[in-house]
PDB file of all heavy atoms in Angstrom:
ATOM      1  N   VAL A   1       0.811  -1.204  -0.004  1.00  0.00           N
ATOM      2  CA  VAL A   1      -0.019   0.003  -0.007  1.00  0.00           C
ATOM      3  C   VAL A   1       0.876   1.251   0.005  1.00  0.00           C
ATOM      4  O   VAL A   1       0.554   2.239  -0.691  1.00  0.00           O
ATOM      5  CB  VAL A   1      -0.963  -0.022   1.223  1.00  0.00           C
ATOM      6  CG1 VAL A   1      -1.689   1.322   1.363  1.00  0.00           C
ATOM      7  CG2 VAL A   1      -1.986  -1.161   1.075  1.00  0.00           C
ATOM      8  N   ALA A   2       1.960   1.237   0.758  1.00  0.00           N
ATOM      9  CA  ALA A   2       2.895   2.389   0.752  1.00  0.00           C
ATOM     10  C   ALA A   2       3.471   2.621  -0.632  1.00  0.00           C
ATOM     11  O   ALA A   2       3.585   3.747  -1.090  1.00  0.00           O
ATOM     12  CB  ALA A   2       3.990   2.151   1.778  1.00  0.00           C
ATOM     13  N   TYR A   3       3.824   1.532  -1.275  1.00  0.00           N
ATOM     14  CA  TYR A   3       4.349   1.609  -2.662  1.00  0.00           C
ATOM     15  C   TYR A   3       3.305   2.191  -3.614  1.00  0.00           C
ATOM     16  O   TYR A   3       3.603   3.082  -4.419  1.00  0.00           O
ATOM     17  CB  TYR A   3       4.776   0.211  -3.101  1.00  0.00           C
ATOM     18  CG  TYR A   3       5.153   0.079  -4.549  1.00  0.00           C
ATOM     19  CD1 TYR A   3       6.221   0.774  -5.116  1.00  0.00           C
ATOM     20  CD2 TYR A   3       4.440  -0.780  -5.382  1.00  0.00           C
ATOM     21  CE1 TYR A   3       6.557   0.635  -6.424  1.00  0.00           C
ATOM     22  CE2 TYR A   3       4.780  -0.913  -6.716  1.00  0.00           C
ATOM     23  CZ  TYR A   3       5.839  -0.231  -7.240  1.00  0.00           C
ATOM     24  OH  TYR A   3       6.168  -0.353  -8.543  1.00  0.00           O
ATOM     25  N   GLY A   4       2.082   1.708  -3.532  1.00  0.00           N
ATOM     26  CA  GLY A   4       0.997   2.254  -4.352  1.00  0.00           C
ATOM     27  C   GLY A   4       0.760   3.724  -4.089  1.00  0.00           C
ATOM     28  O   GLY A   4       0.509   4.492  -5.018  1.00  0.00           O
ATOM     29  N   GLY A   5       0.814   4.121  -2.804  1.00  0.00           N
ATOM     30  CA  GLY A   5       0.643   5.514  -2.437  1.00  0.00           C
ATOM     31  C   GLY A   5       1.727   6.384  -3.042  1.00  0.00           C
ATOM     32  O   GLY A   5       1.461   7.523  -3.507  1.00  0.00           O
ATOM     33  N   ALA A   6       2.992   5.871  -3.058  1.00  0.00           N
ATOM     34  CA  ALA A   6       4.073   6.660  -3.643  1.00  0.00           C
ATOM     35  C   ALA A   6       3.918   6.787  -5.145  1.00  0.00           C
ATOM     36  O   ALA A   6       4.102   7.889  -5.705  1.00  0.00           O
ATOM     37  CB  ALA A   6       5.402   5.947  -3.320  1.00  0.00           C
ATOM     38  N   LEU A   7       3.469   5.723  -5.826  1.00  0.00           N
ATOM     39  CA  LEU A   7       3.230   5.806  -7.289  1.00  0.00           C
ATOM     40  C   LEU A   7       2.109   6.782  -7.591  1.00  0.00           C
ATOM     41  O   LEU A   7       2.150   7.529  -8.553  1.00  0.00           O
ATOM     42  CB  LEU A   7       2.923   4.437  -7.838  1.00  0.00           C
ATOM     43  CG  LEU A   7       4.047   3.414  -7.920  1.00  0.00           C
ATOM     44  CD1 LEU A   7       3.537   2.128  -8.588  1.00  0.00           C
ATOM     45  CD2 LEU A   7       5.230   3.948  -8.743  1.00  0.00           C
ATOM     46  N   GLU A   8       1.042   6.712  -6.757  1.00  0.00           N
ATOM     47  CA  GLU A   8      -0.100   7.591  -6.984  1.00  0.00           C
ATOM     48  C   GLU A   8       0.292   9.029  -6.804  1.00  0.00           C
ATOM     49  O   GLU A   8      -0.095   9.892  -7.592  1.00  0.00           O
ATOM     50  CB  GLU A   8      -1.217   7.194  -6.003  1.00  0.00           C
ATOM     51  CG  GLU A   8      -2.503   7.970  -6.210  1.00  0.00           C
ATOM     52  CD  GLU A   8      -3.583   7.566  -5.205  1.00  0.00           C
ATOM     53  OE1 GLU A   8      -3.207   7.245  -4.059  1.00  0.00           O
ATOM     54  OE2 GLU A   8      -4.741   7.583  -5.576  1.00  0.00           O
ATOM     55  N   ARG A   9       1.067   9.304  -5.721  1.00  0.00           N
ATOM     56  CA  ARG A   9       1.427  10.723  -5.447  1.00  0.00           C
ATOM     57  C   ARG A   9       2.317  11.316  -6.521  1.00  0.00           C
ATOM     58  O   ARG A   9       2.149  12.501  -6.889  1.00  0.00           O
ATOM     59  CB  ARG A   9       2.119  10.796  -4.065  1.00  0.00           C
ATOM     60  CG  ARG A   9       2.540  12.178  -3.651  1.00  0.00           C
ATOM     61  CD  ARG A   9       1.374  13.157  -3.664  1.00  0.00           C
ATOM     62  NE  ARG A   9       0.283  12.767  -2.788  1.00  0.00           N
ATOM     63  CZ  ARG A   9       0.044  13.244  -1.579  1.00  0.00           C
ATOM     64  NH1 ARG A   9       0.872  14.157  -1.087  1.00  0.00           N
ATOM     65  NH2 ARG A   9      -1.012  12.845  -0.913  1.00  0.00           N
ATOM     66  N   CYS A  10       3.254  10.563  -7.099  1.00  0.00           N
ATOM     67  CA  CYS A  10       4.112  11.150  -8.121  1.00  0.00           C
ATOM     68  C   CYS A  10       3.500  11.087  -9.543  1.00  0.00           C
ATOM     69  O   CYS A  10       4.134  11.562 -10.480  1.00  0.00           O
ATOM     70  CB  CYS A  10       5.489  10.486  -8.079  1.00  0.00           C
ATOM     71  SG  CYS A  10       5.585   8.792  -8.597  1.00  0.00           S
ATOM     72  N   GLY A  11       2.276  10.534  -9.643  1.00  0.00           N
ATOM     73  CA  GLY A  11       1.547  10.629 -10.904  1.00  0.00           C
ATOM     74  C   GLY A  11       1.949   9.642 -11.968  1.00  0.00           C
ATOM     75  O   GLY A  11       1.787   9.907 -13.175  1.00  0.00           O
ATOM     76  N   CYS A  12       2.444   8.465 -11.574  1.00  0.00           N
ATOM     77  CA  CYS A  12       2.925   7.510 -12.557  1.00  0.00           C
ATOM     78  C   CYS A  12       1.812   6.986 -13.489  1.00  0.00           C
ATOM     79  O   CYS A  12       2.006   6.893 -14.697  1.00  0.00           O
ATOM     80  CB  CYS A  12       3.570   6.309 -11.830  1.00  0.00           C
ATOM     81  SG  CYS A  12       5.185   6.710 -11.122  1.00  0.00           S
ATOM     82  N   VAL A  13       0.671   6.667 -12.911  1.00  0.00           N
ATOM     83  CA  VAL A  13      -0.430   6.108 -13.729  1.00  0.00           C
ATOM     84  C   VAL A  13      -0.972   7.143 -14.690  1.00  0.00           C
ATOM     85  O   VAL A  13      -1.207   6.876 -15.842  1.00  0.00           O
ATOM     86  CB  VAL A  13      -1.539   5.545 -12.831  1.00  0.00           C
ATOM     87  CG1 VAL A  13      -2.714   5.106 -13.671  1.00  0.00           C
ATOM     88  CG2 VAL A  13      -1.026   4.377 -12.010  1.00  0.00           C
ATOM     89  N   GLU A  14      -1.103   8.363 -14.193  1.00  0.00           N
ATOM     90  CA  GLU A  14      -1.581   9.437 -15.059  1.00  0.00           C
ATOM     91  C   GLU A  14      -0.628   9.690 -16.233  1.00  0.00           C
ATOM     92  O   GLU A  14      -1.035   9.908 -17.344  1.00  0.00           O
ATOM     93  CB  GLU A  14      -1.781  10.737 -14.260  1.00  0.00           C
ATOM     94  CG  GLU A  14      -2.428  11.841 -15.066  1.00  0.00           C
ATOM     95  CD  GLU A  14      -2.665  13.096 -14.235  1.00  0.00           C
ATOM     96  OE1 GLU A  14      -2.516  13.027 -13.003  1.00  0.00           O
ATOM     97  OE2 GLU A  14      -3.008  14.133 -14.828  1.00  0.00           O
ATOM     98  N   ALA A  15       0.667   9.618 -15.922  1.00  0.00           N
ATOM     99  CA  ALA A  15       1.679   9.809 -16.979  1.00  0.00           C
ATOM    100  C   ALA A  15       1.647   8.701 -18.002  1.00  0.00           C
ATOM    101  O   ALA A  15       1.856   8.927 -19.193  1.00  0.00           O
ATOM    102  CB  ALA A  15       3.078   9.895 -16.350  1.00  0.00           C
ATOM    103  N   LEU A  16       1.361   7.482 -17.539  1.00  0.00           N
ATOM    104  CA  LEU A  16       1.380   6.319 -18.454  1.00  0.00           C
ATOM    105  C   LEU A  16       0.087   6.187 -19.266  1.00  0.00           C
ATOM    106  O   LEU A  16       0.109   5.743 -20.404  1.00  0.00           O
ATOM    107  CB  LEU A  16       1.642   5.032 -17.653  1.00  0.00           C
ATOM    108  CG  LEU A  16       3.010   4.882 -17.034  1.00  0.00           C
ATOM    109  CD1 LEU A  16       3.074   3.678 -16.116  1.00  0.00           C
ATOM    110  CD2 LEU A  16       4.094   4.776 -18.113  1.00  0.00           C
ATOM    111  N   PHE A  17      -1.040   6.567 -18.653  1.00  0.00           N
ATOM    112  CA  PHE A  17      -2.343   6.290 -19.298  1.00  0.00           C
ATOM    113  C   PHE A  17      -3.146   7.553 -19.643  1.00  0.00           C
ATOM    114  O   PHE A  17      -4.158   7.456 -20.300  1.00  0.00           O
ATOM    115  CB  PHE A  17      -3.199   5.393 -18.369  1.00  0.00           C
ATOM    116  CG  PHE A  17      -2.727   4.004 -18.284  1.00  0.00           C
ATOM    117  CD1 PHE A  17      -1.878   3.611 -17.257  1.00  0.00           C
ATOM    118  CD2 PHE A  17      -3.109   3.039 -19.193  1.00  0.00           C
ATOM    119  CE1 PHE A  17      -1.412   2.315 -17.146  1.00  0.00           C
ATOM    120  CE2 PHE A  17      -2.660   1.766 -19.123  1.00  0.00           C
ATOM    121  CZ  PHE A  17      -1.796   1.387 -18.072  1.00  0.00           C
ATOM    122  N   GLY A  18      -2.671   8.753 -19.170  1.00  0.00           N
ATOM    123  CA  GLY A  18      -3.460   9.965 -19.366  1.00  0.00           C
ATOM    124  C   GLY A  18      -3.763  10.274 -20.810  1.00  0.00           C
ATOM    125  O   GLY A  18      -4.870  10.705 -21.149  1.00  0.00           O
ATOM    126  N   LYS A  19      -2.806  10.002 -21.714  1.00  0.00           N
ATOM    127  CA  LYS A  19      -2.988  10.339 -23.115  1.00  0.00           C
ATOM    128  C   LYS A  19      -3.775   9.252 -23.882  1.00  0.00           C
ATOM    129  O   LYS A  19      -4.276   9.503 -24.983  1.00  0.00           O
ATOM    130  CB  LYS A  19      -1.630  10.596 -23.806  1.00  0.00           C
ATOM    131  CG  LYS A  19      -0.890  11.779 -23.261  1.00  0.00           C
ATOM    132  CD  LYS A  19       0.452  11.968 -23.945  1.00  0.00           C
ATOM    133  CE  LYS A  19       1.220  13.164 -23.384  1.00  0.00           C
ATOM    134  NZ  LYS A  19       2.541  13.317 -24.019  1.00  0.00           N
ATOM    135  N   LEU A  20      -3.865   8.084 -23.274  1.00  0.00           N
ATOM    136  CA  LEU A  20      -4.511   6.953 -23.940  1.00  0.00           C
ATOM    137  C   LEU A  20      -5.973   7.249 -24.242  1.00  0.00           C
ATOM    138  O   LEU A  20      -6.481   6.927 -25.326  1.00  0.00           O
ATOM    139  CB  LEU A  20      -4.404   5.698 -23.080  1.00  0.00           C
ATOM    140  CG  LEU A  20      -5.175   4.489 -23.576  1.00  0.00           C
ATOM    141  CD1 LEU A  20      -4.667   3.993 -24.906  1.00  0.00           C
ATOM    142  CD2 LEU A  20      -5.086   3.365 -22.512  1.00  0.00           C
ATOM    143  N   LYS A  21      -6.657   7.918 -23.302  1.00  0.00           N
ATOM    144  CA  LYS A  21      -8.106   8.086 -23.435  1.00  0.00           C
ATOM    145  C   LYS A  21      -8.483   8.943 -24.641  1.00  0.00           C
ATOM    146  O   LYS A  21      -9.621   8.835 -25.130  1.00  0.00           O
ATOM    147  CB  LYS A  21      -8.711   8.652 -22.159  1.00  0.00           C
ATOM    148  CG  LYS A  21      -8.251  10.023 -21.766  1.00  0.00           C
ATOM    149  CD  LYS A  21      -8.915  10.443 -20.458  1.00  0.00           C
ATOM    150  CE  LYS A  21      -8.473  11.799 -20.010  1.00  0.00           C
ATOM    151  NZ  LYS A  21      -9.119  12.183 -18.726  1.00  0.00           N
ATOM    152  N   HIS A  22      -7.547   9.758 -25.139  1.00  0.00           N
ATOM    153  CA  HIS A  22      -7.856  10.571 -26.325  1.00  0.00           C
ATOM    154  C   HIS A  22      -7.915   9.726 -27.599  1.00  0.00           C
ATOM    155  O   HIS A  22      -8.366  10.207 -28.633  1.00  0.00           O
ATOM    156  CB  HIS A  22      -6.814  11.682 -26.475  1.00  0.00           C
ATOM    157  CG  HIS A  22      -6.752  12.589 -25.273  1.00  0.00           C
ATOM    158  ND1 HIS A  22      -7.807  13.323 -24.831  1.00  0.00           N
ATOM    159  CD2 HIS A  22      -5.708  12.844 -24.407  1.00  0.00           C
ATOM    160  CE1 HIS A  22      -7.455  14.030 -23.761  1.00  0.00           C
ATOM    161  NE2 HIS A  22      -6.179  13.777 -23.504  1.00  0.00           N
ATOM    162  N   HIS A  23      -7.457   8.468 -27.515  1.00  0.00           N
ATOM    163  CA  HIS A  23      -7.491   7.591 -28.663  1.00  0.00           C
ATOM    164  C   HIS A  23      -8.607   6.551 -28.556  1.00  0.00           C
ATOM    165  O   HIS A  23      -8.641   5.628 -29.389  1.00  0.00           O
ATOM    166  CB  HIS A  23      -6.131   6.877 -28.795  1.00  0.00           C
ATOM    167  CG  HIS A  23      -4.969   7.820 -28.962  1.00  0.00           C
ATOM    168  ND1 HIS A  23      -4.675   8.454 -30.166  1.00  0.00           N
ATOM    169  CD2 HIS A  23      -4.025   8.257 -28.067  1.00  0.00           C
ATOM    170  CE1 HIS A  23      -3.619   9.237 -29.994  1.00  0.00           C
ATOM    171  NE2 HIS A  23      -3.216   9.140 -28.742  1.00  0.00           N
ATOM    172  N   LEU A  24      -9.499   6.712 -27.574  1.00  0.00           N
ATOM    173  CA  LEU A  24     -10.596   5.766 -27.404  1.00  0.00           C
ATOM    174  C   LEU A  24     -11.836   6.356 -28.056  1.00  0.00           C
ATOM    175  O   LEU A  24     -12.310   7.417 -27.640  1.00  0.00           O
ATOM    176  CB  LEU A  24     -10.833   5.531 -25.892  1.00  0.00           C
ATOM    177  CG  LEU A  24      -9.635   5.041 -25.092  1.00  0.00           C
ATOM    178  CD1 LEU A  24      -9.970   4.960 -23.597  1.00  0.00           C
ATOM    179  CD2 LEU A  24      -9.171   3.665 -25.601  1.00  0.00           C
ATOM    180  N   HIS A  25     -12.381   5.627 -29.035  1.00  0.00           N
ATOM    181  CA  HIS A  25     -13.494   6.185 -29.791  1.00  0.00           C
ATOM    182  C   HIS A  25     -14.683   5.208 -29.857  1.00  0.00           C
ATOM    183  O   HIS A  25     -15.632   5.457 -30.583  1.00  0.00           O
ATOM    184  CB  HIS A  25     -13.029   6.525 -31.237  1.00  0.00           C
ATOM    185  CG  HIS A  25     -11.899   7.493 -31.263  1.00  0.00           C
ATOM    186  ND1 HIS A  25     -11.987   8.771 -30.790  1.00  0.00           N
ATOM    187  CD2 HIS A  25     -10.599   7.318 -31.684  1.00  0.00           C
ATOM    188  CE1 HIS A  25     -10.811   9.374 -30.951  1.00  0.00           C
ATOM    189  NE2 HIS A  25      -9.954   8.522 -31.503  1.00  0.00           N
ATOM    190  N   SER A  26     -14.652   4.123 -29.114  1.00  0.00           N
ATOM    191  CA  SER A  26     -15.778   3.205 -29.081  1.00  0.00           C
ATOM    192  C   SER A  26     -15.973   2.705 -27.667  1.00  0.00           C
ATOM    193  O   SER A  26     -15.036   2.750 -26.822  1.00  0.00           O
ATOM    194  CB  SER A  26     -15.531   2.004 -30.003  1.00  0.00           C
ATOM    195  OG  SER A  26     -14.491   1.163 -29.481  1.00  0.00           O
ATOM    196  N   VAL A  27     -17.160   2.213 -27.371  1.00  0.00           N
ATOM    197  CA  VAL A  27     -17.461   1.674 -26.037  1.00  0.00           C
ATOM    198  C   VAL A  27     -16.550   0.516 -25.731  1.00  0.00           C
ATOM    199  O   VAL A  27     -16.002   0.404 -24.603  1.00  0.00           O
ATOM    200  CB  VAL A  27     -18.940   1.267 -25.926  1.00  0.00           C
ATOM    201  CG1 VAL A  27     -19.206   0.541 -24.618  1.00  0.00           C
ATOM    202  CG2 VAL A  27     -19.840   2.465 -26.057  1.00  0.00           C
ATOM    203  N   GLY A  28     -16.355  -0.356 -26.707  1.00  0.00           N
ATOM    204  CA  GLY A  28     -15.495  -1.515 -26.474  1.00  0.00           C
ATOM    205  C   GLY A  28     -14.071  -1.139 -26.123  1.00  0.00           C
ATOM    206  O   GLY A  28     -13.483  -1.741 -25.188  1.00  0.00           O
ATOM    207  N   SER A  29     -13.513  -0.181 -26.821  1.00  0.00           N
ATOM    208  CA  SER A  29     -12.140   0.208 -26.521  1.00  0.00           C
ATOM    209  C   SER A  29     -12.042   0.923 -25.152  1.00  0.00           C
ATOM    210  O   SER A  29     -11.047   0.742 -24.435  1.00  0.00           O
ATOM    211  CB  SER A  29     -11.574   1.144 -27.619  1.00  0.00           C
ATOM    212  OG  SER A  29     -12.353   2.358 -27.674  1.00  0.00           O
TER     213      SER A  29
END
């Protein structure tokens, strides 16, 4: 949990996936 909190605070997931949603154009994707 401490590791997850550190990743969340420094924005790792947002950096990795934030731009992905702009390429999603269907419900399935």
Side-chain angles (χ1 to χ4, degrees):
V1 172
Y3 171 62
L7 288 183
E8 184 181 34
R9 180 55 59 100
C10 67
C12 287
V13 175
E14 187 178 350
L16 292 172
F17 289 94
K19 296 179 181 179
L20 172 64
K21 63 182 178 180
H22 301 300
H23 301 283
L24 303 175
H25 303 296
S26 69
V27 173
S29 62

